[in-house]
Amino acid sequence: MTFTPPASFTTRPTLRGSFGMSASTHWTATATAQSVLERGGNAFDAAVAAGFVLHVAEPHLNGPGGDLVALVRPAGAAEPTVLMGQGPAPAGASIDAFRERGLDLVPGAGGLAAAVPGAVDAWLLLLRDHGTWDVADVLDYAIGYARDGHPLVPGAAATIGRVAELFREHWPTSADLWMPDGSAPAPHALVRNPAYAAVLEELVGAGAGADDRVERIEAARKEWASEVLPRAAEFLRTPHRHSDGGDHPGVLDTHDLASWRAGFEPAVSVPFRGWQVFKAGVWTQGPALLQALRLLDPFDDARLDPSSPLGAHTLLEVQKLVYADRDAWFGDTPDAVDVEALLADDYVTARRSLLDDVASAALRPGAPEGRAAFLPDVRPVTGDGTGATGEPTVDRRGQTRGDTCHFDVIDRWGNTVSATPSGGWLQSSPTIPDLGFCLGTRLQMTWLVAGHPASLVPGRRPRTTLTPTILTRGDEITALGSPGGDQQDQWQLPMLLRMLVGGYEPQQAIDAPTLHTTAVTDSFWPRSWTPAGAVVEDRLGETLIADLERRGHRVRRAGDWALGRVSAVGRDAAGVLWAAANPRGMQGYAAGR
């Protein structure tokens, strides 16, 4: 048995060149990043400009009130570092305070679920420490689109349509911004957000009297934390409708905002087939991908083929094991697992021994440090009653509700960024009218039970799903990632196996049919799971799908082109730059030369 060869046709070429490459989930972000490179900026300048443009181009998928995780590798650096843009829970966000409101889960929509917004400060920190452009230059793109208008992608129009009743009846400020004539806008309608343009101009103006670039960036960061965000927090302290059906005030306050800043952290990594694979730590879900690669590494190549019946079954079963560990052990508390124990040889071997020829229908976390695993109760799949959603991702039937955002940039010097911004979606909480954006709901990833690594604890970060990836091998580098909530690394894994084991070109690996398991605890409200659940693209074929069903998987067919939102850039052994992007959803594009 051999690895399935790639298809002879790809939806677009793997781009190659020597100047610079950008790839993202939206063509305007890609074009923005490439424009910055063409004007002499580096990959970090390009990333910051693209990140702010995504607030305007994909407002249903991310926003300035959200968060981000990125991997950043400056040219010549031995390893990437993590750009940490995930803010913590406010001081007033405690288990007892939420329980007193009659809640047993953090709501999936509404200001009560807001962590300290981290995305904007993280982008400005990246610009300060690794960029070369001034704050006015990188923000000029987003200011222009917000002031003059940007065509609304069909996914954003559909999202507004789904929450139109919520906006009309409970969130009138959101209706004023997104439904000014009383109805949801049509796809491709030109939408303007002058309030957000004014906010960005305020950040630029804050540093107008400063003497140098760094001082102007620091002035923008201070303005954001001390002047802009307090207005958002104050607005959300008025009770408003949440996804549980109740009206609650937000608890974020000025002290929470003043006491936090984005930062850089070390990445964690494992070797796989000659490459070193880097992820963020256990406050994200990133180490689950590293554990999956460790479990899979000893198998022969054919068993790692996602397009073979045994390979597909193996991937699904491995991911059940690593996500059970994620759900039991990952978080931003002392109770979280030590990543070295999670990836240790003896523990990985013990986990691998649990793989069987039939589908498991149980949640089976391990005990990497000898402690008994604790999983909070999870719920059956249910609707949410308000029309508001948690993260706009692929639901358990495989039906696309949208995604978050991702982009990758590499420049001619070798500077590389892989970034996944998210949160602060237009449907996450009421729009602050004089700011033109809303706050995020990342606290829904925490549990209202004590003693779990992902319990709600003031000052601690929620365990996020955002999980970009960088791989290195000598002078070679690959940066990739995907939107998709709990599926982000599940969709990256088949691409990596096809490239690193099957020898696929990047675009071939992105185009190839994929799959994921739903037999994991959903990270988003209302926190459910589907035992033995699997979602597949129909292009995997009747033989493979029938084999999965024979093994006991509860298979849902998603259609031919429905799963995965991966984009990637890189540099090969000859020094040639490349880029590839996802065709699904008809938004993602790569550009470069």
Side-chain angles (χ1 to χ4, degrees):
M1 191 169 78
T2 59
F3 206 101
T4 302
S8 59
F9 171 81
T10 56
T11 57
R12 68 280 303 269
T14 297
L15 305 183
R16 286 186 168 81
S18 58
F19 177 78
M21 293 284 166
S22 309
S24 83
T25 51
H26 194 288
W27 66 85
T28 303
T30 298
T32 297
Q34 201 63 23
S35 172
V36 173
L37 297 182
E38 295 287 352
R39 291 171 55 190
N42 66 20
F44 310 119
D45 300 316
V48 176
F52 279 96
V53 162
L54 282 171
H55 296 163
V56 182
E58 292 188 312
H60 60 310
L61 309 179
N62 83 132
D67 30 60
L68 75 89
V69 180
L71 290 176
V72 175
R73 212 290 292 268
E79 297 183 351
T81 57
V82 178
L83 174 62
M84 191 282 293
Q86 176 57 67
S94 68
I95 292 173
D96 288 345
F98 280 48
R99 289 285 188 181
E100 288 172 2
R101 294 191 170 278
L103 298 169
D104 58 357
L105 290 174
V106 178
L112 195 58
V116 175
V120 167
D121 192 64
W123 287 134
L124 294 175
L125 175 65
L126 178 62
L127 182 67
R128 186 197 73 182
D129 286 5
H130 294 292
T132 63
W133 278 25
D134 219 317
V135 63
D137 299 315
V138 295
L139 295 185
D140 186 61
Y141 295 89
I143 290 171
Y145 287 124
R147 181 187 59 234
D148 302 329
H150 189 279
L152 194 69
V153 293
T159 297
I160 296 169
R162 285 196 299 271
V163 294
E165 183 178 354
L166 172 70
F167 283 8
R168 291 190 194 99
E169 296 186 3
H170 300 290
W171 295 0
T173 56
S174 296
D176 291 343
L177 176 60
W178 300 109
M179 302 163 53
D181 64 356
S183 59
H188 313 300
L190 197 66
V191 174
R192 295 176 175 85
N193 191 341
Y196 186 48
V199 167
L200 297 180
E201 290 170 336
E202 179 181 341
L203 300 187
V204 173
D211 293 330
D212 64 20
R213 190 185 76 92
V214 170
E215 289 181 3
R216 287 187 287 274
I217 294 170
E218 284 301 299
R221 296 179 74 194
K222 181 180 179 181
E223 184 75 10
W224 175 255
S226 64
E227 299 296 333
V228 176
L229 286 181
R231 305 200 306 260
E234 179 62 27
F235 178 80
L236 287 179
R237 293 186 82 86
T238 299
H240 54 278
R241 185 56 49 93
H242 284 60
S243 59
D244 70 315
D247 292 344
H248 309 287
V251 296
L252 192 66
D253 65 21
T254 56
H255 176 75
D256 301 314
L257 300 168
S259 61
W260 183 86
R261 291 293 183 272
F264 291 101
E265 298 184 358
V268 296
S269 70
V270 298
F272 181 79
R273 302 297 173 102
W275 290 79
Q276 199 70 19
V277 185
F278 294 90
K279 303 292 284 187
V282 294
W283 57 275
T284 76
Q285 65 177 342
L289 178 63
L290 303 182
Q291 189 185 13
L293 292 172
R294 293 276 285 126
L295 287 165
L296 293 167
D297 203 3
F299 292 137
D300 62 77
D301 291 359
R303 191 169 179 183
L304 303 186
D305 180 4
S307 293
S308 73
L310 180 58
H313 168 73
T314 300
L315 263 62
L316 292 171
E317 293 304 296
V318 162
Q319 291 182 121
K320 291 176 188 177
L321 293 175
V322 302
Y323 286 102
D325 277 351
R326 179 202 71 173
D327 295 332
W329 297 113
F330 287 21
D332 184 34
T333 69
D335 294 323
V337 66
D338 182 278
V339 73
E340 292 184 2
L342 182 77
L343 303 173
D345 289 344
D346 57 348
Y347 183 67
V348 169
T349 299
R351 298 296 278 161
R352 191 183 300 115
S353 70
L354 298 177
L355 297 174
D356 201 350
D357 291 334
V358 298
S360 170
L363 292 172
R364 297 184 291 172
E369 296 172 302
R371 293 181 283 157
F374 166 42
L375 286 175
D377 292 336
V378 292
R379 301 180 170 201
V381 178
T382 59
D384 68 20
T386 70
T389 57
E391 183 166 48
T393 183
V394 175
D395 73 14
R396 294 186 176 275
R397 296 171 295 166
Q399 179 179 346
T400 300
R401 293 184 282 145
D403 292 304
T404 187
C405 306
H406 181 81
F407 65 86
D408 310 283
V409 187
I410 186 169
D411 63 28
R412 61 188 182 273
W413 303 287
N415 299 305
T416 308
V417 181
S418 178
T420 309
S422 189
W425 318 293
L426 63 86
Q427 66 275 26
S428 62
S429 63
T431 297
I432 299 95
D434 66 329
L435 303 181
F437 64 83
C438 58
L439 298 188
T441 54
R442 191 62 62 178
L443 294 187
Q444 67 183 291
M445 292 186 167
T446 64
W447 293 104
L448 298 184
V449 291
H452 188 275
S455 296
L456 178 63
V457 177
R460 298 287 186 176
R461 295 168 293 185
R463 194 274 298 153
T464 183
T465 51
L466 308 181
T467 178
T469 306
I470 282 183
L471 298 80
T472 62
R473 183 175 67 178
D475 291 333
E476 296 176 82
I477 188 167
T478 296
L480 75 154
S482 176
D486 294 307
Q487 286 80 50
Q488 288 182 28
D489 278 332
Q490 293 198 61
W491 291 338
Q492 292 181 62
L493 179 59
M495 178 189 175
L496 288 172
L497 295 176
R498 285 174 168 132
M499 287 180 63
L500 306 186
V501 181
Y504 285 41
E505 290 283 320
Q507 193 63 51
Q508 291 172 333
I510 288 174
D511 284 356
T514 195
L515 74 168
H516 65 264
T517 179
T518 54
V520 300
T521 302
D522 197 324
S523 294
F524 295 88
W525 186 90
R527 313 304 297 270
S528 56
W529 78 303
T530 304
V535 183
V536 304
E537 287 188 311
D538 293 39
R539 290 182 295 134
L540 286 168
E542 294 297 331
T543 299
L544 184 151
I545 293 171
D547 185 85
L548 291 179
E549 291 173 334
R550 179 184 61 81
R551 293 175 185 270
H553 296 278
R554 296 173 56 187
V555 178
R556 297 280 187 176
R557 298 171 184 243
D560 286 341
W561 295 88
L563 306 179
R565 297 290 183 272
V566 180
S567 65
V569 301
R571 182 179 61 197
D572 67 19
V576 175
L577 308 181
W578 58 262
N582 167 64
R584 300 164 180 86
M586 298 180 290
Q587 282 185 210
Y589 264 91
R593 66 176 177 90

